[in-house]
Amino acid sequence: MRHLLCSLSATVASLLIAVLLLPPAAYAKSKPLDAATVHARIVKRGLDNWVGVEQANGVALFGRIIAINPDSFTLQLPNDPEPVSVAYANVIDLRTGFSRGQKIFAICAIAGTAALGIWGFVHVHDLQQQKLPTPTAPAFP
């Protein structure tokens, strides 16, 4: 039984080392975006919302959606007075910001960390105020 447990521990440790040594690209590849998916995500994001777009030619844009058309959408870039039209078929990566679940997780994590920190501060401060009674007579005669 002990030999089986030792070999199992060695196997798990070897697998963990192998996983940690893999390059990050080997973990997961993002699914390629097609025009219909991009269109659906842009419509879901809506007008006057910010998105980041990477096109097939390597150009990365970040701007506010000002128009949604059947085959393209139009972005207003922050430092450019002219709007830019982007075809759905040319988009290879689309960044729409944090999802609702990610926002809730971040808020809960921050609140939990703050609560834990406050509890720890109060607990340590309370322990420092409690003083042990000093013995008046020696324990052994």
Side-chain angles (χ1 to χ4, degrees):
M1 181 69 179
R2 185 175 200 143
H3 179 65
L4 178 65
L5 186 61
C6 289
S7 66
L8 181 64
S9 297
T11 304
V12 169
S14 300
L15 287 174
L16 286 174
I17 291 171
V19 167
L20 290 175
L21 292 177
L22 287 175
Y27 294 134
K29 296 264 185 188
S30 61
K31 293 188 286 186
L33 295 175
D34 60 344
T37 305
V38 174
H39 177 68
R41 288 178 63 186
I42 291 293
V43 168
K44 184 177 178 182
R45 187 72 175 155
L47 292 174
D48 289 332
N49 287 308
W50 293 83
V51 293
V53 176
E54 185 178 347
Q55 296 180 354
N57 60 3
V59 175
L61 301 171
F62 179 76
R64 188 172 49 90
I65 303 170
I66 59 173
I68 300 174
N69 304 318
D71 59 345
S72 66
F73 62 99
T74 306
L75 291 177
Q76 179 66 52
L77 304 179
N79 296 327
D80 192 3
E82 292 294 320
V84 177
S85 182
V86 179
Y88 296 126
N90 292 341
V91 176
I92 60 170
D93 191 22
L94 181 66
R95 305 285 178 174
T96 58
F98 292 114
S99 69
R100 184 171 184 236
Q102 289 171 332
K103 289 177 187 174
I104 291 172
F105 177 77
I107 290 169
C108 291
I110 291 169
T113 303
L116 189 61
I118 291 170
W119 175 82
F121 176 77
V122 169
H123 181 69
V124 168
H125 186 67
D126 189 39
L127 286 178
Q128 289 175 351
Q129 287 182 353
Q130 294 177 0
K131 295 190 177 177
L132 296 175
T134 55
T136 56
F140 297 105

